[in-house]
Amino acid sequence: MSSKTSTITVDGKSVELPVKEGTIGPSVIDISKLYGQTGMFTYDPGFTSTAATESKITYIDGDKGILLYRGYPIDQLAEHGDFLETCYLLLYGELPTAAQKADFDYRVTRHTMVHDQMNRFFTGFRRDAHPMAIMVACVGALSAFYHDSTDISDPHQRMIASMRMIAKMPTLAAMAYKYSIGQPFVYPQNDLDYTSNFLRMCFAVPAEEYKVNPVLSRALDRIFILHADHEQNASTSTVRLAGSSGANPFACIAAGIACLWGPAHGGANEAALKMLEEIGTPDRIPMYIAKAKDKNDPFRLMGFGHRVYKNYDPRARIMQKTTHEVLNELGIKDDPLLDVAIELEQIALKDEYFVEKKLYPNIDFYSGITLKAMGFPTSMFTVLFALARTVGWIAQWSEMIEDPSQRIGRPRQLYTGAPHRDYVTLAQRG
Ligand code: CMC
């Protein structure tokens, strides 16, 4: 703990507060005793200046456009590693040795099947149900399968629950997709790597041999790495808050999926692609830029802007490169959506409004084009985000459970409703 302090004056009374320093990034003023000393709370809607927790997992420098998982830059992990290595890193804090990696891959692979009873859950949904709605329900339902066997105070059981979730998310995500298009579920094939297995479960049909395209599998694996964690974002904070009461971890992850679905968060990739389709041709871009700048118009440029990044999102750079690789592999020479995206980015990056507000493309700007080219419908985009983010949610949840200072999350409020008043009987009300 640093010896630095910060002094604030409340109603003429000076209060000295401890300052905590991290390894990198801004220090924090520890206000946990502020209420006891001043009778006042702090007020910070949207947590723009509030660190809700201490964490060793992910670091973002939004001004410089840096993202580190356990200290390693995202571009290095995406270029040299694979998704399961990133999962190991996020969960255990270190990159695995070759033997640890082989063991981890084996253990995840052995949990890929879901209980056969899960199939019945799917038939309860209408065919046109959004796959995110199905995911919220089915991952929540996993808690019914592993409730009594999950003692969250036991590190071993926590790790088994983590493995189960990482392993079963692709299976459930693929089932949600298959159900929506009326095709039979494809069981996992454990001699395939994690991402190839997922592609096969999504796109294979019993009537034909399915060959995984290694370029597409590698690209999707990289997309998973880019989405694996992002420190205390809305869905991760949701998982932590839900978990702080000691709730079942599968139910906590279901809460995270629900939060991720919103268009301001994980739903932005779907919204960004729909926006590009709506714009349609480059000549219509100025009209949409004007709409985005108009205070009276709720339209926002989807895939642009970020609460933390006030520079180019480092994930967006890798994503853009991946988009080109995928389109090349598929022989898509001219994708009108890509043309619109590139031109829109160029125009927005030069526009005073976007420059002044530091609005840059985020990861969602290019991911939709890539996933669409791979054959995923837009409704599946956020599901893929949830699949990849599951490891981040679990790593953050585990870190919270292991923290000896952990208490139930309980924000305070500034009450602006009616003051005390006495009940008036129905007959006496005017
Ligand atoms: N288009 C037009 N104006 C924008 C945009 C945008 N995409 N994003 C922010 N602004 C403006 C906003 O109107 C505000 O202007 P003013 O100061 O004049 O009121 C200013 O920029 C600051 O915006 P904010 O809404 O206060 O910023 P925030 O940190 O609360 O919101 C955000 C961040 C990501 C929700 C927002 O930028 C946004 O809605 N972007 C579009 C949705 C999107 O792409 N989301 C994906 C985020 S990355 C994936 C993930 O991590 O989930």
Side-chain angles (χ1 to χ4, degrees):
M1 162 94 76
S2 110
S3 55
K4 276 195 207 161
T5 58
S6 168
T7 306
I8 64 160
T9 307
V10 182
D11 287 342
K13 183 183 160 202
S14 285
V15 179
E16 197 168 88
L17 299 166
V19 169
K20 289 180 155 194
E21 286 182 75
T23 38
I24 35 176
S27 304
V28 300
I29 304 169
D30 179 352
I31 56 160
S32 53
K33 303 262 179 330
L34 186 73
Y35 177 61
Q37 291 174 328
T38 67
M40 284 193 192
F41 300 134
T42 54
Y43 182 65
D44 183 18
F47 296 95
T48 54
S49 293
T50 299
T53 186
E54 192 183 312
S55 181
K56 293 183 170 55
I57 302 175
T58 295
Y59 174 75
I60 304 172
D61 184 329
D63 293 324
K64 294 197 186 121
I66 290 173
L67 169 61
L68 310 176
Y69 291 166
R70 301 280 190 185
Y72 295 101
I74 187 67
D75 48 322
Q76 293 180 20
L77 291 168
E79 182 160 353
H80 304 296
D82 67 24
F83 178 64
L84 283 188
E85 181 185 68
T86 292
C87 291
Y88 186 99
L89 175 68
L90 290 169
L91 288 174
Y92 292 97
E94 296 298 335
L95 286 168
T97 61
Q100 286 166 335
K101 169 86 168 65
D103 174 61
F104 184 75
D105 289 6
Y106 178 85
R107 283 187 293 146
V108 171
T109 304
R110 289 305 170 278
H111 282 293
T112 47
M113 281 180 72
V114 293
H115 195 291
D116 220 47
Q117 202 78 357
M118 277 308 290
N119 296 4
R120 302 222 191 147
F121 278 83
F122 283 86
T123 48
F125 291 104
R126 281 168 48 143
R127 287 276 176 203
D128 61 355
H130 195 288
M132 277 301 272
I134 297 182
M135 291 305 282
V136 173
C138 288
V139 176
L142 284 181
S143 60
F145 290 86
Y146 304 110
H147 187 59
D148 293 339
S149 64
T150 312
D151 172 2
I152 60 166
S153 63
D154 175 356
H156 178 66
Q157 291 193 39
R158 278 205 300 274
M159 194 44 85
I160 292 184
S162 307
M163 294 287 178
R164 281 186 171 136
M165 271 182 272
I166 295 168
K168 292 182 200 311
M169 281 298 277
T171 313
L172 289 176
M175 287 168 87
Y177 172 55
K178 285 297 200 192
Y179 183 75
S180 73
I181 54 170
Q183 288 186 3
F185 298 142
V186 175
Y187 284 106
Q189 187 179 308
N190 291 348
D191 59 350
L192 290 175
D193 66 75
Y194 186 87
T195 304
S196 301
N197 194 15
F198 175 62
L199 280 171
R200 185 178 162 278
M201 287 191 287
C202 286
F203 298 121
V205 286
E208 276 175 33
E209 190 68 24
Y210 179 79
K211 263 182 87 77
V212 178
N213 179 326
V215 176
L216 299 191
S217 173
R218 176 73 189 117
L220 187 59
D221 197 73
R222 202 179 300 132
I223 293 172
F224 289 164
I225 296 174
L226 299 182
H227 286 86
D229 196 41
H230 215 224
E231 51 123 299
Q232 308 311 318
N233 55 83
S235 57
T236 302
S237 300
T238 301
V239 171
R240 277 186 178 260
L241 195 56
S244 76
S245 71
N248 178 289
F250 295 92
C252 296
I253 299 301
I257 297 173
C259 177
L260 184 75
W261 193 4
H265 194 5
N269 51 18
E270 184 175 342
L273 192 89
K274 283 186 178 151
M275 176 193 76
L276 292 174
E277 283 171 345
E278 191 183 312
I279 297 175
T281 47
D283 59 297
R284 285 162 52 86
I285 292 172
M287 189 173 97
Y288 282 85
I289 294 265
K291 270 164 77 65
K293 288 158 59 172
D294 183 355
K295 279 255 159 271
N296 300 317
D297 190 326
F299 175 79
R300 280 189 168 197
L301 222 49
M302 299 315 284
F304 255 78
H306 199 273
R307 169 63 62 78
V308 183
Y309 293 119
K310 300 302 167 199
N311 199 327
Y312 213 99
D313 178 342
R315 304 169 301 172
R317 280 189 206 290
I318 309 166
M319 197 67 231
Q320 194 189 33
K321 199 171 143 225
T322 305
T323 305
H324 287 291
E325 277 170 24
V326 166
L327 295 186
N328 268 345
E329 173 64 18
L330 295 173
I332 303 174
K333 297 262 178 300
D334 294 307
D335 181 353
L337 292 183
L338 185 63
D339 294 344
V340 173
I342 291 173
E343 181 115 6
L344 180 61
E345 178 183 343
Q346 293 310 320
I347 295 175
L349 288 178
K350 285 191 209 116
D351 189 290
E352 207 181 310
Y353 173 94
F354 291 89
V355 172
E356 192 198 305
K357 294 186 191 303
K358 299 190 174 153
L359 299 170
Y360 292 86
N362 58 50
I363 187 169
D364 293 323
F365 194 63
Y366 284 102
S367 61
I369 298 174
T370 322
L371 297 174
K372 179 173 177 270
M374 283 181 178
F376 290 105
T378 44
S379 59
M380 277 297 286
F381 294 176
T382 317
V383 173
L384 301 185
F385 191 158
L387 185 168
R389 182 57 58 84
T390 294
V391 64
W393 290 328
I394 293 169
Q396 301 267 353
W397 169 82
S398 297
E399 183 179 62
M400 180 191 68
I401 301 285
E402 283 158 23
D403 180 354
S405 65
Q406 187 264 325
R407 305 163 75 186
I408 186 166
R410 177 48 170 100
R412 307 306 290 253
Q413 64 170 12
L414 172 67
Y415 177 68
T416 52
H420 177 106
R421 47 184 170 167
D422 289 322
Y423 182 81
V424 182
T425 62
L426 197 54
Q428 288 171 321
R429 279 173 235 161

